[in-house]
Amino acid sequence: MAGRLGRGADQPGFRVEFNSALGPYKGGLRFHPSVNLGIVKFLGFEQVFKNALTGMPIGGGKGGSDFDPKGRSDAEIMRFCQSFMTELYRHIGEYTDVPAGDIGVGAREIGYLFGQYKRITNRYESGVLTGKGLGWGGALVRTEATGYGAAFFAQAMMDTAGDSFDGKRAVVSGSGNVAVYGIEKIHQLGGMAVACSDSSGYVVDEKGIDLDLLKQVKEVERGRIELYAERRGSARFVAGGSVWDVPCEVAVPSATQNELDGDAAKVLAANGCRYVVEGANMPSTPEAVDVFRAAGVAFAPGKAANAGGVATSALEMQQNASRDRWTFEHSEAKLEEIMRGIHTRCHQTAEEYGAPGDLVLGANVAGFLEVAEAVHAHGLI
Ligand code: NDP
Ligand code: 8G0
């Protein structure tokens, strides 16, 4: 089901409820000028199989608007979130459809959306949204989960290859939620991220990205990535260009769809890249995936590698339902276990279906079978 939200044709909003065989529709809301119904549908479709791979009871959906939050004041953001929820509230609920953030929608926006839902419905329904603030129903590790999860997934790939993160150079595109916490966990696991980006260009820092500075620039000041290079002697900023020109052994595309094309993939492979782990949703074009396959670069599709975010949202739902709060350590251990489980499942399914090492096939087959079996069990519609 696709819904068109918002008054007036100038600011459309969407929620695509794709499949609820395994649980309530679940997936993020994106505010970005590129958003249209086609993009929301593809993201919702992918979400169905990703959510199945997590092993958690969640169906798949996605939503958003072409509203551009860049340069808007807090008050403008709040008013847009309130308008959006004034239409969306009738479609969602703890047992129906549970949105969260995505590009352009973080903890601030989830707060405004939750406040409006509560105002309209007169219900404190914690489980209606995930990614909530820690003081009012949010879960520890949800903020870090997607980036941390992608790094755990990369580590599982390396373990299988008898390899490790030790001393490896990584390039992580984007500098938003997924990128920042991907870099944090890569550093904790012994790797070194040397470049990241935003839509204006990229920075290269041969001493390794300084995370405190990156968080200050992107999370606190909501500034452009160029500011990072201005404040850090070892870094330089490249306006425009491709972050994939920076040599690395591990590439973690964590910005947006189609950001890594066939040409970029050839450059990465020629520079010795050995692992590509998608933090974003479908950042690699089909041509890029073909290049990686031909060059023997290990490749993890987003529906497996970035599933830690939505899996931790399901953990948030679990904590809300039981009115419980778990510690950071407990939640992170669960996340690592889930990511290792997804890797094992994709790896084993690929072997079982005659394509050893092909995590794209493994993820698609394993996710599809789980959903198809549930749809079948529920009878014809
Ligand atoms: P954020 O909004 O926090 O950050 C997005 C980053 O990507 C920013 O640095 C942004 O740069 C850059 N970016 C976005 N669109 C473009 C574009 N068209 N061209 C170039 N750069 C772009 O989003 P997230 O980190 O949450 O999401 C990143 C990706 O990860 C998305 O594909 C999302 O769907 C996916 N994902 C997110 C999850 C989560 O839990 N947050 C879970 C699973 C997947 P700028 O600020 O200049 O626009
Ligand atoms: O928590 C979520 O439902 C969520 C939020 C943002 C992105 C995603 C995703 O898996 O792409 C999920």
Side-chain angles (χ1 to χ4, degrees):
M1 184 187 87
R4 200 173 164 85
L5 310 168
R7 277 174 228 286
D10 59 324
Q11 203 72 77
F14 306 99
R15 184 73 183 166
V16 173
E17 297 180 332
F18 226 114
N19 186 282
S20 62
L22 299 177
Y25 303 106
K26 181 86 198 84
L29 295 172
R30 179 178 293 190
F31 292 169
H32 192 272
S34 63
V35 167
N36 59 44
L37 185 55
I39 287 178
V40 180
K41 280 186 183 174
F42 112 75
L43 289 166
F45 182 73
E46 289 289 292
Q47 196 79 50
V48 173
F49 306 106
K50 177 194 311 194
N51 292 4
L53 280 175
T54 67
M56 316 290 290
I58 40 180
K62 195 84 186 185
S65 169
D66 64 5
F67 171 70
D68 186 358
K70 275 206 189 73
R72 301 284 191 172
S73 67
D74 269 11
E76 287 172 315
I77 298 284
M78 182 185 75
R79 286 196 296 271
F80 183 76
C81 289
Q82 288 174 341
S83 288
F84 193 86
M85 186 53 84
T86 300
E87 291 297 325
L88 183 65
Y89 85 95
R90 66 188 94 248
H91 302 286
I92 64 175
E94 183 184 359
Y95 298 106
T96 314
D97 183 352
V98 183
D102 189 68
I103 293 177
V105 179
R108 173 182 60 172
E109 290 74 15
I110 293 296
Y112 297 144
L113 290 163
F114 186 77
Q116 184 70 352
Y117 183 84
K118 183 163 73 75
R119 199 169 285 127
I120 294 173
T121 61
N122 195 33
R123 284 167 61 83
Y124 202 107
E125 193 181 325
S126 296
V128 70
L129 289 168
T130 62
K132 297 182 293 295
L134 294 178
W136 43 277
L140 287 165
V141 186
R142 177 61 190 92
T143 304
E144 296 85 355
T146 310
Y148 276 23
F152 285 139
F153 196 94
Q155 193 183 36
M157 291 166 79
M158 290 171 189
D159 283 354
T160 306
D163 198 357
S164 82
F165 255 118
D166 257 352
K168 283 200 170 53
R169 281 167 64 93
V171 168
V172 181
S173 65
S175 48
N177 174 266
V178 179
V180 164
Y181 294 97
I183 293 171
E184 184 161 288
K185 187 51 75 180
I186 287 169
H187 288 180
Q188 289 172 10
L189 295 176
M192 182 167 81
V194 293
C196 64
S197 63
D198 66 16
S199 57
S200 67
Y202 64 91
V203 292
V204 189
D205 187 341
E206 290 296 339
K207 289 205 166 146
I209 297 290
D210 176 340
L211 253 185
D212 289 341
L213 177 57
L214 185 67
K215 285 181 183 174
Q216 174 64 28
V217 167
K218 300 304 296 190
E219 291 183 347
V220 180
E221 299 178 28
R222 296 181 188 269
R224 309 309 297 154
I225 198 72
E226 189 171 5
L227 252 187
Y228 176 93
E230 280 170 19
R231 294 182 190 170
R232 172 105 164 149
S234 53
R236 68 191 163 87
F237 171 68
V238 180
S242 168
V243 72
W244 310 120
D245 290 344
V246 180
C248 63
E249 291 159 278
V250 187
V252 189
S254 304
T256 195
Q257 64 273 357
N258 299 327
E259 55 161 311
L260 199 172
D261 63 13
D263 290 339
K266 284 180 195 153
V267 174
L268 277 170
N271 283 339
C273 181
R274 288 157 59 200
Y275 300 91
V276 176
V277 183
E278 291 191 328
N281 284 310
M282 274 205 184
S284 314
T285 65
E287 293 75 26
V289 178
D290 288 345
V291 170
F292 295 138
R293 200 173 271 133
V297 177
F299 175 78
K303 72 167 70 66
N306 72 31
V310 79
T312 308
S313 276
L315 299 180
E316 183 173 333
M317 291 159 72
Q318 220 173 308
Q319 289 165 82
N320 291 153
S322 57
R323 302 188 187 280
D324 199 0
R325 279 170 73 91
W326 304 345
T327 63
F328 193 94
E329 291 70 24
H330 177 70
S331 309
E332 191 184 9
K334 282 229 166 229
L335 171 64
E336 182 169 3
E337 185 188 319
I338 289 167
M339 296 315 295
R340 286 193 172 273
I342 295 172
H343 175 264
T344 301
R345 217 164 143 197
C346 295
H347 186 78
Q348 286 178 351
T349 306
E351 294 210 332
E352 203 181 312
Y353 283 77
D358 188 341
L359 296 177
V360 174
L361 181 137
N364 284 336
V365 171
F368 172 80
L369 287 177
E370 182 125 351
V371 177
E373 280 159 18
V375 168
H376 188 246
H378 295 169
L380 294 174
I381 48 167

